[in-house]
Amino acid sequence: MTASSCRLSRPGVVCSLGDDLDTIGHALFSGQRGLTTSDAFTPGRPLPLGQVTSELPDDSQWPKDHRSRNNRLLALALARLGDEIESLLSSVPGDRIGVVIGSSTSGIGETESALAESGREGPLPETFAYARQELGAPARFIAERLGITGPCYTLSTACSSSARALASARRLLKSGQCDAVIAGGADSLCRLTVNGFLSLEAVSDNPCQPFSRHRDGINLGEAAALFVVTPESGGVQLAGVGESVDAHHISAPRPDGSGAAEAMRQALEMAGLEASEIDYLNLHGTGTALNDSMEAAAVTTLFPTPPACSSTKGLTGHTLGAAGALEAAFCWLALTQGRLPEHRFDGVYDPEILPLPLVTNGATPQRRPRRALSNSFAFGGNNASLLLTLDPRTE
């Protein structure tokens, strides 16, 4: 454990693979896709989506500002944290607990529904509340629900949002501003994001194929994933974080992968580890032509012999602002269960991009994974890498 390490609790997760860790782990390690086909957001054009099918908490009695699908996802993730939250609230004063959430949609889906009900000219319905679409709404929801009065904010850097939220939680602990932080992310499917990515011609009409020569875009998904982050030893540690900004293009990644490589390098340096010591790499791996080739270049620049790799977006869809925390939770599962997430694609690796050792066909790791790196790369070149380690005393 390094001086910058922080303990990541057992995560609370809800995604298209389920809402309990046993169910999610079974799907994750067997390569079971959690995609359903729907035209709910794109009438007449059915798309594979990582939709959450779990029963979510009823929000009808919540304050109007909090009624959103995003917050219902967060409420279920909070419930799945269970004893971790109970122990936290009984042992740490509320003003010493922070909340940092990553999100890109917040409650915009509810605004879409309100506009559909009111029409172009009519007044918005009385149930409408602008505050629930504000980006700060998810963090405020958790703080008010739990009576927490410490630092509370939401980060929105597109697909790296919740990875950066976990990095921010580490800084709050290291600066002494908090004794514990509830950190993670949530994003829900809505017309804005689905049609926005369609306008970029980035969405596939079929289950996505990261790193395949036949890849033709992403599938979108939704999720919430939360951790209690504390400055304790033992368990799974957030041993290193790396963050960089390319500023290369508003949506396309820097082709040479230098910004992505820099984020990974920073995470390794903070953890005091060499690239050769990483056992598993969770790839950003969206299934778009530019992202996958860039990431392969970045990985092979930093890792002369890359570790076992997989992209889990073929299972869950791309959950945007929730992806960083969700995939950190997948790394937490890999470290604690000693197994590696399966990479789902058609098996035809693109010969035009640098080769990576993908985890396929139920491959077992050559050694028990103890150190995992997770990548999240976003629009505007907002790159983040998280390095998780398992304290050997935990086994």
Side-chain angles (χ1 to χ4, degrees):
M1 185 181 68
T2 69
S4 58
S5 294
C6 301
R7 178 183 176 271
L8 295 180
S9 73
R10 177 183 176 89
V13 180
V14 53
C15 65
S16 63
L17 302 181
D19 61 84
D20 70 89
L21 293 184
D22 288 342
T23 300
I24 292 169
H26 175 76
L28 186 68
F29 300 127
S30 63
Q32 178 181 321
R33 290 190 190 264
L35 304 176
T36 55
T37 301
S38 171
D39 68 349
F41 308 101
T42 52
R45 184 177 177 179
L47 295 172
L49 299 170
Q51 293 179 294
V52 169
T53 57
S54 301
E55 183 176 355
L56 301 180
D58 177 18
D59 65 356
S60 62
Q61 301 303 310
W62 294 358
K64 187 164 63 172
D65 288 0
H66 291 332
R67 295 177 203 160
S68 71
R69 183 170 178 84
N70 238 40
N71 287 344
R72 294 174 72 200
L73 290 169
L74 281 170
L76 183 54
L78 267 178
R80 293 296 178 260
L81 277 173
D83 293 344
E84 292 283 349
I85 290 294
E86 185 177 339
S87 175
L88 172 69
L89 297 178
S90 65
S91 61
V92 180
D95 62 352
R96 297 292 300 168
I97 302 172
V99 180
V100 188
I101 301 299
S103 184
S104 66
T105 62
S106 193
I108 197 69
E110 283 64 39
T111 297
E112 293 172 353
S113 298
L115 291 171
E117 181 179 338
S118 65
R120 294 177 63 89
E121 305 296 335
L124 290 167
E126 291 185 3
T127 56
F128 173 74
Y130 176 83
R132 65 187 169 195
Q133 78 172 44
E134 293 175 342
L135 286 171
R140 188 168 61 247
F141 165 70
I142 290 177
E144 293 183 10
R145 188 172 181 84
L146 299 179
I148 292 169
T149 57
C152 172
Y153 50 92
T154 302
L155 297 175
S156 188
T157 55
C159 307
S160 63
S161 298
S162 56
R164 288 181 178 264
L166 288 166
S168 186
R170 187 195 67 85
R171 285 191 289 270
L172 287 171
L173 296 174
K174 295 305 171 184
S175 67
Q177 296 181 69
C178 293
D179 295 327
V181 182
I182 298 171
D187 257 348
S188 48
L189 286 164
C190 60
R191 285 178 178 265
L192 177 70
T193 49
V194 176
N195 288 281
F197 277 89
L198 275 174
S199 71
L200 295 173
E201 299 181 346
V203 174
S204 177
D205 289 292
N206 303 295
C208 70
Q209 309 287 347
F211 296 92
S212 167
R213 71 181 300 172
H214 303 129
R215 68 192 186 279
D216 63 353
I218 68 174
N219 304 141
L220 292 166
E222 59 185 356
L226 295 171
F227 295 87
V228 176
V229 190
T230 58
E232 300 172 8
S233 60
V236 175
Q237 297 281 310
L238 179 56
V241 301
E243 300 172 272
S244 67
V245 178
D246 296 349
H248 168 74
H249 186 273
I250 192 170
S251 60
R254 188 176 181 89
D256 65 4
S258 57
E262 173 62 16
M264 289 186 279
R265 186 196 64 76
Q266 287 180 19
L268 287 165
E269 182 178 357
M270 181 180 291
L273 295 173
E274 299 295 329
S276 60
E277 296 179 274
I278 300 303
D279 301 311
Y280 170 66
L281 174 58
N282 181 276
L283 299 162
H284 185 60
T286 60
T288 63
L290 294 178
N291 177 86
D292 291 0
S293 60
M294 173 281 293
E295 188 168 15
V299 170
T300 52
T301 294
L302 201 62
F303 294 85
T305 303
C309 303
S310 63
S311 167
T312 51
K313 292 182 174 66
L315 309 181
T316 65
H318 191 348
T319 60
L320 306 180
L326 178 65
E327 291 166 23
F330 292 165
C331 288
W332 189 98
L333 282 168
L335 295 178
T336 56
Q337 297 194 20
R339 303 177 65 185
L340 299 181
E342 183 93 0
H343 182 96
R344 277 296 300 272
F345 73 141
D346 61 5
V348 185
Y349 195 92
D350 188 349
E352 298 297 318
I353 61 178
L354 294 165
L356 297 175
L358 301 178
V359 179
T360 56
N361 300 319
T364 57
Q366 294 181 349
R367 60 185 181 187
R368 181 187 173 100
R370 298 178 183 275
R371 304 175 184 91
L373 189 66
S374 184
N375 287 337
S376 296
F377 307 136
F379 284 175
N382 281 285
N383 307 306
S385 292
L386 304 177
L387 202 162
L388 280 63
T389 62
L390 179 67
D391 189 315
R393 296 169 295 180
T394 303
E395 295 180 38

Short mmCIF file of all heavy atoms in Angstrom, two decimals, residues 175-231:
data_model
loop_
_atom_site.label_atom_id
_atom_site.label_comp_id
_atom_site.label_asym_id
_atom_site.label_seq_id
_atom_site.Cartn_x
_atom_site.Cartn_y
_atom_site.Cartn_z
N SER A 175 -6.39 15.66 1.56
CA SER A 175 -6.30 17.06 1.97
C SER A 175 -6.82 17.29 3.38
O SER A 175 -6.71 18.39 3.92
CB SER A 175 -7.08 17.95 1.00
OG SER A 175 -8.47 17.68 1.08
N GLY A 176 -7.45 16.27 3.96
CA GLY A 176 -7.99 16.40 5.31
C GLY A 176 -9.36 17.02 5.38
O GLY A 176 -9.87 17.28 6.47
N GLN A 177 -9.99 17.26 4.24
CA GLN A 177 -11.32 17.89 4.25
C GLN A 177 -12.42 16.90 4.64
O GLN A 177 -13.49 17.32 5.08
CB GLN A 177 -11.63 18.47 2.88
CG GLN A 177 -10.71 19.61 2.47
CD GLN A 177 -11.07 20.17 1.11
OE1 GLN A 177 -12.11 20.80 0.95
NE2 GLN A 177 -10.23 19.92 0.13
N CYS A 178 -12.16 15.61 4.46
CA CYS A 178 -13.15 14.58 4.77
C CYS A 178 -12.49 13.40 5.46
O CYS A 178 -11.30 13.13 5.24
CB CYS A 178 -13.84 14.09 3.48
SG CYS A 178 -14.87 15.32 2.65
N ASP A 179 -13.29 12.69 6.23
CA ASP A 179 -12.85 11.43 6.81
C ASP A 179 -13.37 10.23 6.01
O ASP A 179 -12.91 9.11 6.19
CB ASP A 179 -13.33 11.31 8.26
CG ASP A 179 -12.70 12.36 9.16
OD1 ASP A 179 -11.54 12.73 8.90
OD2 ASP A 179 -13.38 12.82 10.09
N ALA A 180 -14.34 10.47 5.17
CA ALA A 180 -14.90 9.44 4.28
C ALA A 180 -15.65 10.15 3.16
O ALA A 180 -16.13 11.28 3.34
CB ALA A 180 -15.83 8.50 5.03
N VAL A 181 -15.73 9.49 2.02
CA VAL A 181 -16.44 10.06 0.87
C VAL A 181 -17.26 8.96 0.21
O VAL A 181 -16.77 7.85 -0.02
CB VAL A 181 -15.46 10.65 -0.17
CG1 VAL A 181 -16.24 11.28 -1.33
CG2 VAL A 181 -14.55 11.70 0.47
N ILE A 182 -18.53 9.27 -0.06
CA ILE A 182 -19.35 8.40 -0.91
C ILE A 182 -19.12 8.88 -2.34
O ILE A 182 -19.41 10.04 -2.67
CB ILE A 182 -20.83 8.50 -0.54
CG1 ILE A 182 -21.05 8.03 0.90
CG2 ILE A 182 -21.68 7.67 -1.50
CD1 ILE A 182 -22.44 8.29 1.43
N ALA A 183 -18.57 8.01 -3.17
CA ALA A 183 -18.18 8.43 -4.52
C ALA A 183 -18.57 7.39 -5.55
O ALA A 183 -18.59 6.18 -5.26
CB ALA A 183 -16.68 8.69 -4.58
N GLY A 184 -18.86 7.85 -6.74
CA GLY A 184 -19.22 6.95 -7.83
C GLY A 184 -19.90 7.72 -8.94
O GLY A 184 -19.56 8.87 -9.20
N GLY A 185 -20.87 7.08 -9.57
CA GLY A 185 -21.52 7.76 -10.68
C GLY A 185 -22.86 7.14 -11.04
O GLY A 185 -23.18 6.03 -10.62
N ALA A 186 -23.63 7.88 -11.82
CA ALA A 186 -24.92 7.39 -12.31
C ALA A 186 -25.26 8.12 -13.60
O ALA A 186 -25.04 9.32 -13.73
CB ALA A 186 -26.02 7.63 -11.28
N ASP A 187 -25.77 7.37 -14.54
CA ASP A 187 -26.35 7.94 -15.76
C ASP A 187 -27.50 7.06 -16.20
O ASP A 187 -27.44 5.82 -16.08
CB ASP A 187 -25.32 8.04 -16.89
CG ASP A 187 -24.79 9.45 -17.08
OD1 ASP A 187 -25.37 10.40 -16.51
OD2 ASP A 187 -23.79 9.63 -17.80
N SER A 188 -28.55 7.70 -16.69
CA SER A 188 -29.72 6.98 -17.17
C SER A 188 -29.92 7.26 -18.64
O SER A 188 -29.56 8.33 -19.15
CB SER A 188 -30.97 7.39 -16.37
OG SER A 188 -31.06 8.80 -16.28
N LEU A 189 -30.49 6.29 -19.33
CA LEU A 189 -30.75 6.45 -20.75
C LEU A 189 -31.84 7.50 -20.98
O LEU A 189 -32.81 7.58 -20.23
CB LEU A 189 -31.19 5.12 -21.35
CG LEU A 189 -30.08 4.08 -21.53
CD1 LEU A 189 -30.69 2.70 -21.75
CD2 LEU A 189 -29.16 4.46 -22.68
N CYS A 190 -31.67 8.29 -22.02
CA CYS A 190 -32.68 9.28 -22.39
C CYS A 190 -32.50 9.62 -23.87
O CYS A 190 -31.49 9.25 -24.50
CB CYS A 190 -32.57 10.53 -21.52
SG CYS A 190 -30.99 11.39 -21.62
N ARG A 191 -33.46 10.33 -24.42
CA ARG A 191 -33.41 10.67 -25.84
C ARG A 191 -32.19 11.54 -26.17
O ARG A 191 -31.58 11.39 -27.23
CB ARG A 191 -34.69 11.40 -26.25
CG ARG A 191 -35.91 10.51 -26.38
CD ARG A 191 -37.14 11.32 -26.74
NE ARG A 191 -38.32 10.49 -26.91
CZ ARG A 191 -38.75 10.01 -28.08
NH1 ARG A 191 -38.07 10.31 -29.17
NH2 ARG A 191 -39.82 9.26 -28.14
N LEU A 192 -31.85 12.43 -25.27
CA LEU A 192 -30.76 13.36 -25.54
C LEU A 192 -29.47 12.61 -25.85
O LEU A 192 -28.81 12.89 -26.87
CB LEU A 192 -30.54 14.29 -24.34
CG LEU A 192 -29.36 15.26 -24.46
CD1 LEU A 192 -29.66 16.32 -25.51
CD2 LEU A 192 -29.06 15.91 -23.12
N THR A 193 -29.09 11.68 -24.99
CA THR A 193 -27.82 10.99 -25.20
C THR A 193 -27.89 10.01 -26.36
O THR A 193 -26.98 9.95 -27.19
CB THR A 193 -27.37 10.26 -23.92
OG1 THR A 193 -28.45 9.49 -23.42
CG2 THR A 193 -26.94 11.25 -22.87
N VAL A 194 -28.96 9.23 -26.44
CA VAL A 194 -29.04 8.23 -27.50
C VAL A 194 -29.03 8.91 -28.86
O VAL A 194 -28.26 8.54 -29.77
CB VAL A 194 -30.28 7.34 -27.34
CG1 VAL A 194 -30.40 6.38 -28.52
CG2 VAL A 194 -30.22 6.57 -26.03
N ASN A 195 -29.86 9.94 -29.04
CA ASN A 195 -29.90 10.61 -30.34
C ASN A 195 -28.68 11.49 -30.58
O ASN A 195 -28.28 11.70 -31.73
CB ASN A 195 -31.20 11.42 -30.45
CG ASN A 195 -32.41 10.53 -30.63
OD1 ASN A 195 -32.67 10.05 -31.74
ND2 ASN A 195 -33.15 10.28 -29.56
N GLY A 196 -28.08 11.98 -29.49
CA GLY A 196 -26.85 12.73 -29.65
C GLY A 196 -25.73 11.88 -30.22
O GLY A 196 -25.02 12.29 -31.15
N PHE A 197 -25.58 10.66 -29.69
CA PHE A 197 -24.56 9.77 -30.22
C PHE A 197 -24.91 9.27 -31.62
O PHE A 197 -24.03 9.04 -32.45
CB PHE A 197 -24.33 8.59 -29.27
CG PHE A 197 -23.39 8.92 -28.14
CD1 PHE A 197 -23.87 9.44 -26.95
CD2 PHE A 197 -22.03 8.71 -28.28
CE1 PHE A 197 -23.01 9.75 -25.92
CE2 PHE A 197 -21.16 9.02 -27.25
CZ PHE A 197 -21.64 9.55 -26.06
N LEU A 198 -26.22 9.13 -31.89
CA LEU A 198 -26.63 8.79 -33.26
C LEU A 198 -26.21 9.88 -34.24
O LEU A 198 -25.76 9.58 -35.35
CB LEU A 198 -28.14 8.59 -33.32
CG LEU A 198 -28.69 7.21 -32.95
CD1 LEU A 198 -30.21 7.25 -32.94
CD2 LEU A 198 -28.20 6.15 -33.93
N SER A 199 -26.35 11.12 -33.83
CA SER A 199 -25.97 12.22 -34.72
C SER A 199 -24.48 12.24 -35.02
O SER A 199 -24.05 12.76 -36.06
CB SER A 199 -26.40 13.57 -34.12
OG SER A 199 -25.60 13.91 -33.01
N LEU A 200 -23.70 11.68 -34.12
CA LEU A 200 -22.26 11.56 -34.34
C LEU A 200 -21.90 10.32 -35.14
O LEU A 200 -20.71 10.07 -35.41
CB LEU A 200 -21.53 11.51 -32.99
CG LEU A 200 -21.61 12.76 -32.12
CD1 LEU A 200 -20.99 12.48 -30.76
CD2 LEU A 200 -20.89 13.92 -32.80
N GLU A 201 -22.91 9.54 -35.52
CA GLU A 201 -22.72 8.27 -36.25
C GLU A 201 -21.80 7.34 -35.47
O GLU A 201 -20.96 6.64 -36.04
CB GLU A 201 -22.17 8.54 -37.65
CG GLU A 201 -23.11 9.39 -38.50
CD GLU A 201 -22.59 9.63 -39.90
OE1 GLU A 201 -21.39 9.37 -40.15
OE2 GLU A 201 -23.38 10.07 -40.75
N ALA A 202 -22.00 7.33 -34.14
CA ALA A 202 -21.15 6.52 -33.27
C ALA A 202 -21.84 5.30 -32.70
O ALA A 202 -21.23 4.53 -31.96
CB ALA A 202 -20.64 7.39 -32.11
N VAL A 203 -23.13 5.10 -33.03
CA VAL A 203 -23.92 4.03 -32.43
C VAL A 203 -24.07 2.86 -33.40
O VAL A 203 -24.32 3.06 -34.60
CB VAL A 203 -25.32 4.55 -32.03
CG1 VAL A 203 -26.20 3.42 -31.53
CG2 VAL A 203 -25.19 5.62 -30.96
N SER A 204 -23.91 1.65 -32.88
CA SER A 204 -24.09 0.46 -33.70
C SER A 204 -25.53 -0.05 -33.59
O SER A 204 -26.15 0.03 -32.53
CB SER A 204 -23.14 -0.64 -33.23
OG SER A 204 -23.37 -1.83 -33.97
N ASP A 205 -26.04 -0.60 -34.68
CA ASP A 205 -27.36 -1.23 -34.67
C ASP A 205 -27.30 -2.67 -34.18
O ASP A 205 -28.34 -3.32 -34.06
CB ASP A 205 -27.95 -1.20 -36.09
CG ASP A 205 -28.35 0.20 -36.51
OD1 ASP A 205 -29.30 0.74 -35.93
OD2 ASP A 205 -27.69 0.77 -37.40
N ASN A 206 -26.10 -3.13 -33.87
CA ASN A 206 -25.89 -4.50 -33.42
C ASN A 206 -25.10 -4.49 -32.12
O ASN A 206 -24.52 -3.46 -31.74
CB ASN A 206 -25.12 -5.29 -34.48
CG ASN A 206 -25.83 -5.30 -35.81
OD1 ASN A 206 -26.91 -5.85 -35.94
ND2 ASN A 206 -25.22 -4.67 -36.82
N PRO A 207 -25.05 -5.60 -31.38
CA PRO A 207 -24.19 -5.65 -30.19
C PRO A 207 -22.77 -5.24 -30.55
O PRO A 207 -22.21 -5.70 -31.55
CB PRO A 207 -24.28 -7.12 -29.77
CG PRO A 207 -25.63 -7.56 -30.23
CD PRO A 207 -25.84 -6.85 -31.54
N CYS A 208 -22.19 -4.37 -29.75
CA CYS A 208 -20.91 -3.76 -30.12
C CYS A 208 -19.79 -4.80 -30.09
O CYS A 208 -19.86 -5.82 -29.39
CB CYS A 208 -20.60 -2.56 -29.24
SG CYS A 208 -20.21 -2.95 -27.53
N GLN A 209 -18.73 -4.52 -30.84
CA GLN A 209 -17.63 -5.47 -31.03
C GLN A 209 -16.29 -4.76 -30.78
O GLN A 209 -15.53 -4.50 -31.71
CB GLN A 209 -17.64 -6.02 -32.47
CG GLN A 209 -18.96 -6.58 -32.94
CD GLN A 209 -19.28 -7.92 -32.31
OE1 GLN A 209 -18.43 -8.55 -31.70
NE2 GLN A 209 -20.52 -8.36 -32.43
N PRO A 210 -15.96 -4.44 -29.53
CA PRO A 210 -14.70 -3.73 -29.28
C PRO A 210 -13.49 -4.50 -29.81
O PRO A 210 -13.37 -5.70 -29.62
CB PRO A 210 -14.66 -3.64 -27.75
CG PRO A 210 -16.10 -3.73 -27.33
CD PRO A 210 -16.73 -4.67 -28.30
N PHE A 211 -12.65 -3.78 -30.54
CA PHE A 211 -11.39 -4.26 -31.09
C PHE A 211 -11.56 -5.26 -32.24
O PHE A 211 -10.58 -5.85 -32.70
CB PHE A 211 -10.48 -4.83 -29.99
CG PHE A 211 -10.06 -3.77 -29.00
CD1 PHE A 211 -10.81 -3.54 -27.85
CD2 PHE A 211 -8.96 -2.97 -29.25
CE1 PHE A 211 -10.46 -2.55 -26.96
CE2 PHE A 211 -8.60 -1.97 -28.36
CZ PHE A 211 -9.35 -1.75 -27.22
N SER A 212 -12.76 -5.44 -32.73
CA SER A 212 -12.99 -6.29 -33.90
C SER A 212 -12.75 -5.49 -35.18
O SER A 212 -12.98 -4.28 -35.23
CB SER A 212 -14.43 -6.80 -33.88
OG SER A 212 -14.77 -7.38 -35.13
N ARG A 213 -12.34 -6.19 -36.21
CA ARG A 213 -12.23 -5.52 -37.51
C ARG A 213 -13.60 -5.12 -38.03
O ARG A 213 -13.72 -4.29 -38.94
CB ARG A 213 -11.52 -6.43 -38.51
CG ARG A 213 -12.32 -7.63 -38.97
CD ARG A 213 -11.54 -8.50 -39.94
NE ARG A 213 -11.16 -7.74 -41.13
CZ ARG A 213 -10.34 -8.20 -42.08
NH1 ARG A 213 -9.81 -9.40 -41.97
NH2 ARG A 213 -10.07 -7.47 -43.14
N HIS A 214 -14.66 -5.69 -37.45
CA HIS A 214 -16.02 -5.38 -37.88
C HIS A 214 -16.72 -4.38 -36.96
O HIS A 214 -17.92 -4.15 -37.11
CB HIS A 214 -16.85 -6.67 -37.94
CG HIS A 214 -16.28 -7.72 -38.83
ND1 HIS A 214 -16.07 -9.02 -38.43
CD2 HIS A 214 -15.84 -7.64 -40.11
CE1 HIS A 214 -15.55 -9.70 -39.42
NE2 HIS A 214 -15.39 -8.90 -40.45
N ARG A 215 -16.01 -3.80 -36.03
CA ARG A 215 -16.65 -2.87 -35.09
C ARG A 215 -17.20 -1.67 -35.84
O ARG A 215 -16.58 -1.16 -36.79
CB ARG A 215 -15.65 -2.42 -34.01
CG ARG A 215 -14.50 -1.54 -34.51
CD ARG A 215 -13.43 -1.39 -33.44
NE ARG A 215 -12.40 -0.44 -33.82
CZ ARG A 215 -11.39 -0.71 -34.62
NH1 ARG A 215 -11.27 -1.92 -35.17
NH2 ARG A 215 -10.50 0.22 -34.90
N ASP A 216 -18.37 -1.21 -35.40
CA ASP A 216 -19.00 -0.09 -36.10
C ASP A 216 -19.72 0.85 -35.14
O ASP A 216 -20.63 1.57 -35.54
CB ASP A 216 -19.96 -0.59 -37.18
CG ASP A 216 -21.13 -1.41 -36.61
OD1 ASP A 216 -21.13 -1.69 -35.39
OD2 ASP A 216 -22.04 -1.75 -37.39
N GLY A 217 -19.33 0.85 -33.86
CA GLY A 217 -19.91 1.82 -32.95
C GLY A 217 -20.26 1.23 -31.60
O GLY A 217 -20.04 0.05 -31.33
N ILE A 218 -20.83 2.08 -30.76
CA ILE A 218 -21.11 1.73 -29.38
C ILE A 218 -22.56 1.30 -29.20
O ILE A 218 -23.41 1.54 -30.05
CB ILE A 218 -20.82 2.92 -28.44
CG1 ILE A 218 -21.82 4.07 -28.67
CG2 ILE A 218 -19.41 3.43 -28.61
CD1 ILE A 218 -21.69 5.21 -27.68
N ASN A 219 -22.81 0.64 -28.08
CA ASN A 219 -24.16 0.49 -27.52
C ASN A 219 -24.20 1.36 -26.27
O ASN A 219 -23.22 1.42 -25.53
CB ASN A 219 -24.45 -0.95 -27.12
CG ASN A 219 -24.27 -1.95 -28.24
OD1 ASN A 219 -23.78 -3.05 -28.01
ND2 ASN A 219 -24.63 -1.61 -29.47
N LEU A 220 -25.31 2.01 -26.03
CA LEU A 220 -25.44 2.86 -24.85
C LEU A 220 -26.13 2.10 -23.72
O LEU A 220 -26.94 1.21 -23.96
CB LEU A 220 -26.22 4.12 -25.19
CG LEU A 220 -25.47 5.07 -26.13
CD1 LEU A 220 -26.40 6.12 -26.71
CD2 LEU A 220 -24.31 5.74 -25.41
N GLY A 221 -25.78 2.45 -22.50
CA GLY A 221 -26.36 1.80 -21.33
C GLY A 221 -26.57 2.77 -20.20
O GLY A 221 -26.28 3.98 -20.32
N GLU A 222 -27.06 2.25 -19.09
CA GLU A 222 -27.28 3.06 -17.90
C GLU A 222 -26.85 2.26 -16.68
O GLU A 222 -26.83 1.02 -16.70
CB GLU A 222 -28.75 3.47 -17.78
CG GLU A 222 -29.72 2.29 -17.70
CD GLU A 222 -31.18 2.72 -17.70
OE1 GLU A 222 -31.47 3.92 -17.67
OE2 GLU A 222 -32.05 1.81 -17.73
N ALA A 223 -26.50 2.97 -15.62
CA ALA A 223 -26.00 2.29 -14.41
C ALA A 223 -25.82 3.30 -13.30
O ALA A 223 -25.82 4.52 -13.51
CB ALA A 223 -24.67 1.60 -14.70
N ALA A 224 -25.64 2.75 -12.10
CA ALA A 224 -25.15 3.52 -10.95
C ALA A 224 -24.19 2.62 -10.19
O ALA A 224 -24.43 1.42 -10.04
CB ALA A 224 -26.29 3.98 -10.04
N ALA A 225 -23.10 3.20 -9.73
CA ALA A 225 -22.11 2.45 -8.94
C ALA A 225 -21.53 3.39 -7.89
O ALA A 225 -21.14 4.52 -8.21
CB ALA A 225 -21.01 1.90 -9.83
N LEU A 226 -21.52 2.92 -6.64
CA LEU A 226 -21.07 3.75 -5.52
C LEU A 226 -20.10 2.98 -4.63
O LEU A 226 -20.24 1.76 -4.45
CB LEU A 226 -22.25 4.20 -4.67
CG LEU A 226 -23.28 5.13 -5.32
CD1 LEU A 226 -24.48 5.29 -4.41
CD2 LEU A 226 -22.66 6.48 -5.65
N PHE A 227 -19.13 3.70 -4.08
CA PHE A 227 -18.21 3.18 -3.08
C PHE A 227 -18.20 4.11 -1.87
O PHE A 227 -18.44 5.32 -2.01
CB PHE A 227 -16.77 3.14 -3.60
CG PHE A 227 -16.51 2.21 -4.74
CD1 PHE A 227 -16.70 2.63 -6.06
CD2 PHE A 227 -16.05 0.92 -4.52
CE1 PHE A 227 -16.43 1.78 -7.12
CE2 PHE A 227 -15.78 0.06 -5.57
CZ PHE A 227 -15.98 0.49 -6.88
N VAL A 228 -17.89 3.57 -0.71
CA VAL A 228 -17.47 4.39 0.41
C VAL A 228 -15.95 4.37 0.40
O VAL A 228 -15.32 3.31 0.48
CB VAL A 228 -17.99 3.84 1.76
CG1 VAL A 228 -17.45 4.68 2.92
CG2 VAL A 228 -19.52 3.86 1.77
N VAL A 229 -15.35 5.54 0.26
CA VAL A 229 -13.90 5.67 0.15
C VAL A 229 -13.37 6.21 1.47
O VAL A 229 -13.83 7.26 1.95
CB VAL A 229 -13.50 6.61 -1.00
CG1 VAL A 229 -12.00 6.55 -1.26
CG2 VAL A 229 -14.27 6.25 -2.28
N THR A 230 -12.42 5.50 2.07
CA THR A 230 -11.88 5.88 3.38
C THR A 230 -10.36 5.75 3.36
O THR A 230 -9.80 5.03 2.53
CB THR A 230 -12.44 4.98 4.49
OG1 THR A 230 -12.13 3.61 4.18
CG2 THR A 230 -13.95 5.13 4.62
N PRO A 231 -9.67 6.41 4.30
CA PRO A 231 -8.21 6.33 4.34
C PRO A 231 -7.72 5.12 5.13
O PRO A 231 -6.70 5.19 5.80
CB PRO A 231 -7.83 7.64 5.03
CG PRO A 231 -8.97 7.92 5.95
CD PRO A 231 -10.20 7.42 5.24
#
